[in-house]
Amino acid sequence: MSSSLLSVAQPSTITSDATDSPRAGNSLIDGDNELLIAIMGPTGSGKSSFINLVSGSDGAVGHTLKSCTREVEPTDVFELGGHRVRLIDTPGFDDSRVSDADILQKIADFMDVSYRSGRKLNGLLYFHRIIDNRVGGVSYMNMQMFQKLCGDGALKNVFLCTTMWDLVPPEVGEERERELKEDFWASMIEQGASVVRHDGSAGAARNVVSRMLHLNPVTLRIQEELVDEQKTLMETLAGARISEVLRNLESKYRELLKRASDDYQKAIEEKNRVMEALIEKQRKEYQAKLDKANKDNETLLRVRDTTITSLASRLESLETRGRAYWWLFFNSPRSPPSALAGQATASSSAAPSVSAPRGSTAQLSTASKPVEKRAARPDQWNCAIM
Ligand SMILES: Nc1nc2c(ncn2[C@@H]2O[C@H](COP(=O)(O)OP(=O)(O)O)[C@@H](O)[C@H]2O)c(=O)[nH]1
Ligand SMILES: [Mg+2]
């Protein structure tokens, strides 16, 4: 990469003395707008921990497999530097128990509904662990999906954030960061993406977000594709990429399974018990991976032909998840679609178990305070379509 490119996006280690300068259009006083910032990246890259640090919420941090984020999860609104901010946590494309196709659909659904309801994202943060010594399968897949979802036009609102600097010697981290900038992130940096380091502290986390508060909202490529161009999910760049990856994976594991089955047969004939057990174990692993690829492909087939033309029909198609997007309609340029609002009743149905804004029950610092909760909640609407 050229030195001029490097100079465009020198990483900045965010320290707690950085400040933001609120702009009139986005401030609490003028317009009372909420700023939306989405957080993406592989599972385990520190997204939920970061979100908890900034917002004071207590969403699931993945110390165990079970506690990983599997839904698009907005925080409650909180205040930062005079702005009302909501962060959106997203699952990574690498969950062993949820198909990548399902994850794409969940993220695409959220982006679709938010865009149709007139709410654009102000920024996107992409997380990457600096401890990863190579950008292999999972990291690469997540980066590719992120780029396809964003499109080039949104990259000026993207911050590429490295985490877990406390776990590597500084010189090792710096070398990996250089590789990321010169290779994997080079095209995003050229289009305006910024590179930042998060040192794990609450002050640093808040200052990363502070740097995004003045950005003008952007439309993501996937939002244009789904809403403006009325493409099906599989016709989008992200959908096409995932479908290509899954097709390749399916044929790869089918081939590996066939070879393992031949070797297994040979081991039985040769009465080689040790080899037989080893190959059987391998065969089961390949079978599980093939099953997952098949399941992903089934999900893709299910969503392949669905083109959604209106917000009401999008919400209808979302079943339980749609109910969790109620908050998008508050302070939004659009009202809830009549399909929802017309059925509002005083009787309360169960709040959605997923995607409802996280409670902000944790101790909060003065720099990050929760804003008052809204009185009306559409989870109290008895919506037949949900
Ligand atoms: N050492 C270290 N661990 C971290 C840091 N950030 C997060 N973690 C840990 O990394 C694990 C995954 O974090 P999580 O926030 O759930 O990642 P997510 O899957 O991207 O949401 C958890 O055990 C966190 O406590 C960091 O900056 N340094
Ligand atoms: Mg998480």
Side-chain angles (χ1 to χ4, degrees):
M1 195 179 65
S2 70
S3 58
S4 63
L5 185 56
L6 266 175
S7 65
V8 170
Q10 283 299 334
S12 35
T13 301
I14 306 292
T15 54
S16 46
D17 60 0
T19 53
D20 66 308
S21 47
R23 278 165 37 133
N26 284 337
S27 75
L28 273 175
I29 303 149
D30 298 338
D32 202 22
N33 290 333
E34 262 177 41
L35 307 187
L36 292 186
I37 295 171
I39 320 284
M40 297 192 191
T43 303
S45 54
K47 300 183 295 295
S48 301
S49 308
F50 177 94
I51 287 170
N52 292 351
L53 281 176
V54 181
S55 69
S57 65
D58 56 357
V61 170
H63 302 296
T64 65
L65 254 185
K66 249 187 145 178
S67 58
C68 291
T69 312
R70 296 224 161 76
E71 300 290 336
V72 174
E73 287 184 6
T75 62
D76 271 343
V77 179
F78 59 93
E79 186 195 325
L80 186 65
H83 297 264
R84 296 163 53 85
V85 182
R86 206 189 278 272
L87 302 180
I88 316 294
D89 201 354
T90 63
F93 289 94
D94 46 37
D95 193 307
S96 53
R97 293 193 293 176
V98 182
S99 80
D100 285 347
D102 272 327
I103 287 172
L104 173 62
Q105 192 171 27
K106 284 173 186 183
I107 294 174
D109 285 343
F110 172 80
M111 297 305 173
D112 181 314
V113 173
S114 60
Y115 186 46
R116 284 179 204 267
S117 64
R119 301 284 297 273
K120 293 187 187 178
L121 290 173
N122 295 78
L124 294 108
L125 261 167
Y126 181 82
F127 274 47
H128 178 84
R129 304 189 311 174
I130 203 69
I131 51 174
D132 293 341
N133 61 5
R134 53 181 283 274
V135 181
V138 159
S139 295
Y140 192 53
M141 174 73 175
N142 272 282
M143 277 184 205
Q144 282 195 324
M145 293 309 290
F146 179 71
Q147 259 183 292
K148 306 271 180 211
L149 286 163
C150 285
D152 290 347
L155 287 171
K156 56 189 183 308
N157 288 43
V158 164
F159 277 51
L160 303 165
C161 183
T162 46
T163 58
M164 308 205 181
W165 283 84
D166 54 311
L167 298 180
V168 287
E171 62 281 7
V172 173
E174 273 155 26
E175 175 58 21
R176 285 182 192 157
E177 185 186 62
R178 194 183 57 74
E179 280 170 19
L180 286 167
K181 287 170 59 194
E182 291 182 2
D183 190 350
F184 298 100
W185 289 352
S187 63
M188 287 196 274
I189 292 169
E190 266 177 283
Q191 305 280 340
S194 305
V195 178
V196 290
R197 297 178 191 172
H198 167 50
D199 69 9
S201 70
R206 277 196 293 269
N207 282 298
V208 170
V209 176
S210 292
R211 285 186 54 184
M212 309 183 90
L213 301 178
H214 66 284
L215 300 170
N216 289 323
V218 276
T219 306
L220 307 191
R221 182 71 193 113
I222 193 145
Q223 293 175 319
E224 292 169 347
E225 290 176 309
L226 291 172
V227 181
D228 300 337
E229 298 163 22
Q230 295 192 8
K231 289 184 173 172
T232 64
L233 184 56
M234 297 329 299
E235 287 167 348
T236 65
L237 289 174
R241 179 69 192 128
I242 218 165
S243 138
E244 185 189 1
V245 167
L246 290 175
R247 264 200 315 275
N248 291 345
L249 272 184
E250 194 179 332
S251 51
K252 174 179 150 188
Y253 287 119
R254 206 174 285 288
E255 176 59 32
L256 285 171
L257 193 60
K258 186 179 171 308
R259 263 193 252 160
S261 298
D262 293 346
D263 291 348
Y264 183 64
Q265 203 53 45
K266 215 165 138 202
I268 290 176
E269 282 161 18
E270 290 170 0
K271 297 192 173 28
N272 186 340
R273 297 281 177 239
V274 176
M275 194 55 85
E276 197 183 310
L278 278 175
I279 297 172
E280 177 59 355
K281 187 166 171 272
Q282 182 120 74
R283 228 163 54 121
K284 282 190 177 144
E285 279 169 21
Y286 291 151
Q287 185 65 57
K289 286 184 169 154
L290 182 61
D291 289 347
K292 184 171 183 291
N294 279 332
K295 205 169 139 235
D296 276 21
N297 277 318
E298 277 166 27
T299 309
L300 288 181
L301 285 179
R302 210 171 58 233
V303 300
R304 193 183 55 188
D305 298 324
T306 319
T307 309
I308 306 282
T309 53
S310 71
L311 179 55
S313 51
R314 162 55 71 194
L315 286 166
E316 278 175 37
S317 78
L318 288 181
E319 301 175 1
T320 52
R321 265 209 310 284
R323 190 171 53 175
Y325 294 143
W326 61 269
W327 58 272
L328 282 168
F329 301 104
F330 291 96
N331 270 344
S332 114
R334 308 254 168 94
S335 307
S338 55
L340 278 178
Q343 297 180 53
T345 74
S347 72
S348 165
S349 62
S353 60
V354 293
S355 309
R358 290 172 180 172
S360 298
T361 52
Q363 288 290 321
L364 298 170
S365 73
T366 48
S368 174
K369 292 180 291 192
V371 175
E372 77 289 344
K373 291 226 168 86
R374 312 274 178 209
R377 289 173 54 122
D379 58 14
Q380 293 177 322
W381 302 337
N382 190 12
C383 302
I385 61 167
M386 293 300 176

PDB file of all heavy atoms in Angstrom, residues 5-31:
ATOM      1  N   LEU A   5      -1.697   6.397   1.335  1.00  0.00           N
ATOM      2  CA  LEU A   5      -2.895   5.731   1.862  1.00  0.00           C
ATOM      3  C   LEU A   5      -2.776   5.547   3.367  1.00  0.00           C
ATOM      4  O   LEU A   5      -3.724   5.772   4.121  1.00  0.00           O
ATOM      5  CB  LEU A   5      -3.058   4.362   1.177  1.00  0.00           C
ATOM      6  CG  LEU A   5      -4.311   3.601   1.523  1.00  0.00           C
ATOM      7  CD1 LEU A   5      -5.515   4.472   1.212  1.00  0.00           C
ATOM      8  CD2 LEU A   5      -4.381   2.337   0.693  1.00  0.00           C
ATOM      9  N   LEU A   6      -1.575   5.164   3.772  1.00  0.00           N
ATOM     10  CA  LEU A   6      -1.362   4.996   5.214  1.00  0.00           C
ATOM     11  C   LEU A   6      -1.630   6.299   5.952  1.00  0.00           C
ATOM     12  O   LEU A   6      -2.233   6.308   7.008  1.00  0.00           O
ATOM     13  CB  LEU A   6       0.091   4.575   5.465  1.00  0.00           C
ATOM     14  CG  LEU A   6       0.340   3.084   5.579  1.00  0.00           C
ATOM     15  CD1 LEU A   6       1.825   2.829   5.713  1.00  0.00           C
ATOM     16  CD2 LEU A   6      -0.398   2.515   6.783  1.00  0.00           C
ATOM     17  N   SER A   7      -1.185   7.400   5.327  1.00  0.00           N
ATOM     18  CA  SER A   7      -1.341   8.653   6.039  1.00  0.00           C
ATOM     19  C   SER A   7      -2.801   9.093   6.100  1.00  0.00           C
ATOM     20  O   SER A   7      -3.180   9.846   6.965  1.00  0.00           O
ATOM     21  CB  SER A   7      -0.491   9.738   5.394  1.00  0.00           C
ATOM     22  OG  SER A   7      -0.991   9.982   4.094  1.00  0.00           O
ATOM     23  N   VAL A   8      -3.617   8.580   5.202  1.00  0.00           N
ATOM     24  CA  VAL A   8      -5.044   8.945   5.232  1.00  0.00           C
ATOM     25  C   VAL A   8      -5.694   8.396   6.483  1.00  0.00           C
ATOM     26  O   VAL A   8      -6.517   9.024   7.105  1.00  0.00           O
ATOM     27  CB  VAL A   8      -5.769   8.385   3.990  1.00  0.00           C
ATOM     28  CG1 VAL A   8      -7.277   8.534   4.128  1.00  0.00           C
ATOM     29  CG2 VAL A   8      -5.286   9.081   2.743  1.00  0.00           C
ATOM     30  N   ALA A   9      -5.281   7.188   6.862  1.00  0.00           N
ATOM     31  CA  ALA A   9      -5.993   6.543   7.963  1.00  0.00           C
ATOM     32  C   ALA A   9      -5.040   6.023   9.019  1.00  0.00           C
ATOM     33  O   ALA A   9      -4.954   4.848   9.278  1.00  0.00           O
ATOM     34  CB  ALA A   9      -6.841   5.408   7.416  1.00  0.00           C
ATOM     35  N   GLN A  10      -4.287   6.896   9.600  1.00  0.00           N
ATOM     36  CA  GLN A  10      -3.463   6.481  10.720  1.00  0.00           C
ATOM     37  C   GLN A  10      -4.389   6.050  11.846  1.00  0.00           C
ATOM     38  O   GLN A  10      -5.353   6.737  12.145  1.00  0.00           O
ATOM     39  CB  GLN A  10      -2.602   7.655  11.201  1.00  0.00           C
ATOM     40  CG  GLN A  10      -1.402   7.944  10.307  1.00  0.00           C
ATOM     41  CD  GLN A  10      -0.441   6.773  10.224  1.00  0.00           C
ATOM     42  OE1 GLN A  10      -0.372   5.959  11.137  1.00  0.00           O
ATOM     43  NE2 GLN A  10       0.283   6.674   9.135  1.00  0.00           N
ATOM     44  N   PRO A  11      -4.115   4.906  12.484  1.00  0.00           N
ATOM     45  CA  PRO A  11      -4.995   4.500  13.563  1.00  0.00           C
ATOM     46  C   PRO A  11      -4.852   5.462  14.718  1.00  0.00           C
ATOM     47  O   PRO A  11      -3.787   6.019  14.935  1.00  0.00           O
ATOM     48  CB  PRO A  11      -4.454   3.126  13.952  1.00  0.00           C
ATOM     49  CG  PRO A  11      -3.024   3.186  13.556  1.00  0.00           C
ATOM     50  CD  PRO A  11      -2.961   4.040  12.336  1.00  0.00           C
ATOM     51  N   SER A  12      -5.917   5.652  15.431  1.00  0.00           N
ATOM     52  CA  SER A  12      -5.794   6.498  16.593  1.00  0.00           C
ATOM     53  C   SER A  12      -6.151   5.669  17.809  1.00  0.00           C
ATOM     54  O   SER A  12      -7.179   5.025  17.827  1.00  0.00           O
ATOM     55  CB  SER A  12      -6.738   7.684  16.457  1.00  0.00           C
ATOM     56  OG  SER A  12      -7.914   7.293  15.817  1.00  0.00           O
ATOM     57  N   THR A  13      -5.249   5.647  18.770  1.00  0.00           N
ATOM     58  CA  THR A  13      -5.613   5.014  20.025  1.00  0.00           C
ATOM     59  C   THR A  13      -6.482   6.007  20.747  1.00  0.00           C
ATOM     60  O   THR A  13      -6.082   7.135  21.001  1.00  0.00           O
ATOM     61  CB  THR A  13      -4.371   4.705  20.864  1.00  0.00           C
ATOM     62  OG1 THR A  13      -3.555   3.853  20.087  1.00  0.00           O
ATOM     63  CG2 THR A  13      -4.747   4.014  22.155  1.00  0.00           C
ATOM     64  N   ILE A  14      -7.712   5.592  21.014  1.00  0.00           N
ATOM     65  CA  ILE A  14      -8.655   6.538  21.590  1.00  0.00           C
ATOM     66  C   ILE A  14      -8.366   6.681  23.077  1.00  0.00           C
ATOM     67  O   ILE A  14      -8.325   5.697  23.796  1.00  0.00           O
ATOM     68  CB  ILE A  14     -10.089   6.045  21.391  1.00  0.00           C
ATOM     69  CG1 ILE A  14     -10.341   5.742  19.913  1.00  0.00           C
ATOM     70  CG2 ILE A  14     -11.082   7.033  21.921  1.00  0.00           C
ATOM     71  CD1 ILE A  14     -10.361   6.923  19.015  1.00  0.00           C
ATOM     72  N   THR A  15      -8.170   7.879  23.509  1.00  0.00           N
ATOM     73  CA  THR A  15      -7.937   8.097  24.930  1.00  0.00           C
ATOM     74  C   THR A  15      -9.108   8.861  25.513  1.00  0.00           C
ATOM     75  O   THR A  15      -9.924   9.426  24.787  1.00  0.00           O
ATOM     76  CB  THR A  15      -6.651   8.906  25.147  1.00  0.00           C
ATOM     77  OG1 THR A  15      -6.756  10.095  24.381  1.00  0.00           O
ATOM     78  CG2 THR A  15      -5.433   8.118  24.687  1.00  0.00           C
ATOM     79  N   SER A  16      -9.176   8.871  26.829  1.00  0.00           N
ATOM     80  CA  SER A  16     -10.374   9.411  27.445  1.00  0.00           C
ATOM     81  C   SER A  16     -10.447  10.933  27.410  1.00  0.00           C
ATOM     82  O   SER A  16     -11.402  11.508  27.856  1.00  0.00           O
ATOM     83  CB  SER A  16     -10.488   8.917  28.883  1.00  0.00           C
ATOM     84  OG  SER A  16      -9.263   9.061  29.499  1.00  0.00           O
ATOM     85  N   ASP A  17      -9.433  11.609  26.860  1.00  0.00           N
ATOM     86  CA  ASP A  17      -9.556  13.063  26.817  1.00  0.00           C
ATOM     87  C   ASP A  17     -10.108  13.579  25.492  1.00  0.00           C
ATOM     88  O   ASP A  17     -10.265  14.764  25.306  1.00  0.00           O
ATOM     89  CB  ASP A  17      -8.208  13.730  27.139  1.00  0.00           C
ATOM     90  CG  ASP A  17      -7.141  13.320  26.148  1.00  0.00           C
ATOM     91  OD1 ASP A  17      -7.463  12.532  25.243  1.00  0.00           O
ATOM     92  OD2 ASP A  17      -6.022  13.770  26.271  1.00  0.00           O
ATOM     93  N   ALA A  18     -10.418  12.658  24.578  1.00  0.00           N
ATOM     94  CA  ALA A  18     -11.009  13.123  23.321  1.00  0.00           C
ATOM     95  C   ALA A  18     -12.425  13.628  23.581  1.00  0.00           C
ATOM     96  O   ALA A  18     -13.124  13.125  24.428  1.00  0.00           O
ATOM     97  CB  ALA A  18     -11.043  11.986  22.313  1.00  0.00           C
ATOM     98  N   THR A  19     -12.823  14.638  22.855  1.00  0.00           N
ATOM     99  CA  THR A  19     -14.183  15.147  23.032  1.00  0.00           C
ATOM    100  C   THR A  19     -14.860  15.256  21.693  1.00  0.00           C
ATOM    101  O   THR A  19     -14.218  15.308  20.663  1.00  0.00           O
ATOM    102  CB  THR A  19     -14.175  16.561  23.669  1.00  0.00           C
ATOM    103  OG1 THR A  19     -13.321  17.370  22.879  1.00  0.00           O
ATOM    104  CG2 THR A  19     -13.700  16.530  25.108  1.00  0.00           C
ATOM    105  N   ASP A  20     -16.164  15.288  21.719  1.00  0.00           N
ATOM    106  CA  ASP A  20     -16.884  15.499  20.469  1.00  0.00           C
ATOM    107  C   ASP A  20     -17.475  16.885  20.500  1.00  0.00           C
ATOM    108  O   ASP A  20     -17.623  17.501  21.538  1.00  0.00           O
ATOM    109  CB  ASP A  20     -17.991  14.474  20.312  1.00  0.00           C
ATOM    110  CG  ASP A  20     -19.034  14.660  21.358  1.00  0.00           C
ATOM    111  OD1 ASP A  20     -18.685  14.722  22.558  1.00  0.00           O
ATOM    112  OD2 ASP A  20     -20.200  14.779  21.007  1.00  0.00           O
ATOM    113  N   SER A  21     -17.794  17.393  19.335  1.00  0.00           N
ATOM    114  CA  SER A  21     -18.446  18.694  19.295  1.00  0.00           C
ATOM    115  C   SER A  21     -19.820  18.534  18.693  1.00  0.00           C
ATOM    116  O   SER A  21     -19.953  18.340  17.497  1.00  0.00           O
ATOM    117  CB  SER A  21     -17.607  19.660  18.465  1.00  0.00           C
ATOM    118  OG  SER A  21     -17.225  19.024  17.273  1.00  0.00           O
ATOM    119  N   PRO A  22     -20.866  18.568  19.529  1.00  0.00           N
ATOM    120  CA  PRO A  22     -22.209  18.332  19.039  1.00  0.00           C
ATOM    121  C   PRO A  22     -22.596  19.306  17.938  1.00  0.00           C
ATOM    122  O   PRO A  22     -22.252  20.482  18.009  1.00  0.00           O
ATOM    123  CB  PRO A  22     -23.080  18.564  20.274  1.00  0.00           C
ATOM    124  CG  PRO A  22     -22.169  18.491  21.437  1.00  0.00           C
ATOM    125  CD  PRO A  22     -20.828  18.893  20.943  1.00  0.00           C
ATOM    126  N   ARG A  23     -23.266  18.795  16.952  1.00  0.00           N
ATOM    127  CA  ARG A  23     -23.758  19.658  15.881  1.00  0.00           C
ATOM    128  C   ARG A  23     -25.227  19.914  16.094  1.00  0.00           C
ATOM    129  O   ARG A  23     -25.937  19.076  16.618  1.00  0.00           O
ATOM    130  CB  ARG A  23     -23.553  18.977  14.533  1.00  0.00           C
ATOM    131  CG  ARG A  23     -22.147  19.157  14.017  1.00  0.00           C
ATOM    132  CD  ARG A  23     -21.842  18.212  12.921  1.00  0.00           C
ATOM    133  NE  ARG A  23     -23.001  17.987  12.039  1.00  0.00           N
ATOM    134  CZ  ARG A  23     -22.901  18.016  10.722  1.00  0.00           C
ATOM    135  NH1 ARG A  23     -21.772  18.302  10.155  1.00  0.00           N
ATOM    136  NH2 ARG A  23     -23.946  17.731   9.985  1.00  0.00           N
ATOM    137  N   ALA A  24     -25.671  21.074  15.661  1.00  0.00           N
ATOM    138  CA  ALA A  24     -27.043  21.479  15.941  1.00  0.00           C
ATOM    139  C   ALA A  24     -28.063  20.421  15.550  1.00  0.00           C
ATOM    140  O   ALA A  24     -28.932  20.071  16.333  1.00  0.00           O
ATOM    141  CB  ALA A  24     -27.337  22.774  15.221  1.00  0.00           C
ATOM    142  N   GLY A  25     -27.938  19.884  14.340  1.00  0.00           N
ATOM    143  CA  GLY A  25     -28.954  18.963  13.849  1.00  0.00           C
ATOM    144  C   GLY A  25     -29.093  17.701  14.662  1.00  0.00           C
ATOM    145  O   GLY A  25     -30.132  17.065  14.669  1.00  0.00           O
ATOM    146  N   ASN A  26     -28.053  17.337  15.367  1.00  0.00           N
ATOM    147  CA  ASN A  26     -28.088  16.077  16.084  1.00  0.00           C
ATOM    148  C   ASN A  26     -28.172  16.233  17.595  1.00  0.00           C
ATOM    149  O   ASN A  26     -28.137  15.269  18.324  1.00  0.00           O
ATOM    150  CB  ASN A  26     -26.820  15.274  15.772  1.00  0.00           C
ATOM    151  CG  ASN A  26     -26.888  14.663  14.390  1.00  0.00           C
ATOM    152  OD1 ASN A  26     -27.980  14.470  13.877  1.00  0.00           O
ATOM    153  ND2 ASN A  26     -25.745  14.384  13.812  1.00  0.00           N
ATOM    154  N   SER A  27     -28.215  17.423  18.088  1.00  0.00           N
ATOM    155  CA  SER A  27     -28.099  17.585  19.527  1.00  0.00           C
ATOM    156  C   SER A  27     -29.406  17.286  20.223  1.00  0.00           C
ATOM    157  O   SER A  27     -30.468  17.200  19.629  1.00  0.00           O
ATOM    158  CB  SER A  27     -27.660  19.006  19.852  1.00  0.00           C
ATOM    159  OG  SER A  27     -28.750  19.862  19.679  1.00  0.00           O
ATOM    160  N   LEU A  28     -29.319  17.152  21.550  1.00  0.00           N
ATOM    161  CA  LEU A  28     -30.518  16.887  22.345  1.00  0.00           C
ATOM    162  C   LEU A  28     -31.504  18.036  22.235  1.00  0.00           C
ATOM    163  O   LEU A  28     -32.704  17.853  22.235  1.00  0.00           O
ATOM    164  CB  LEU A  28     -30.116  16.753  23.817  1.00  0.00           C
ATOM    165  CG  LEU A  28     -29.680  15.389  24.289  1.00  0.00           C
ATOM    166  CD1 LEU A  28     -29.210  15.484  25.718  1.00  0.00           C
ATOM    167  CD2 LEU A  28     -30.812  14.396  24.152  1.00  0.00           C
ATOM    168  N   ILE A  29     -30.946  19.256  22.152  1.00  0.00           N
ATOM    169  CA  ILE A  29     -31.811  20.446  22.162  1.00  0.00           C
ATOM    170  C   ILE A  29     -32.527  20.567  20.827  1.00  0.00           C
ATOM    171  O   ILE A  29     -33.721  20.751  20.753  1.00  0.00           O
ATOM    172  CB  ILE A  29     -30.962  21.705  22.434  1.00  0.00           C
ATOM    173  CG1 ILE A  29     -30.225  21.496  23.760  1.00  0.00           C
ATOM    174  CG2 ILE A  29     -31.808  22.948  22.467  1.00  0.00           C
ATOM    175  CD1 ILE A  29     -28.887  22.184  23.838  1.00  0.00           C
ATOM    176  N   ASP A  30     -31.764  20.431  19.742  1.00  0.00           N
ATOM    177  CA  ASP A  30     -32.366  20.620  18.421  1.00  0.00           C
ATOM    178  C   ASP A  30     -32.795  19.296  17.823  1.00  0.00           C
ATOM    179  O   ASP A  30     -31.959  18.522  17.386  1.00  0.00           O
ATOM    180  CB  ASP A  30     -31.364  21.286  17.479  1.00  0.00           C
ATOM    181  CG  ASP A  30     -30.979  22.655  17.973  1.00  0.00           C
ATOM    182  OD1 ASP A  30     -31.761  23.211  18.754  1.00  0.00           O
ATOM    183  OD2 ASP A  30     -29.927  23.125  17.607  1.00  0.00           O
ATOM    184  N   GLY A  31     -34.039  19.063  17.804  1.00  0.00           N
ATOM    185  CA  GLY A  31     -34.541  17.912  17.071  1.00  0.00           C
ATOM    186  C   GLY A  31     -34.704  16.669  17.919  1.00  0.00           C
ATOM    187  O   GLY A  31     -35.509  15.817  17.631  1.00  0.00           O
TER     188      GLY A  31
END
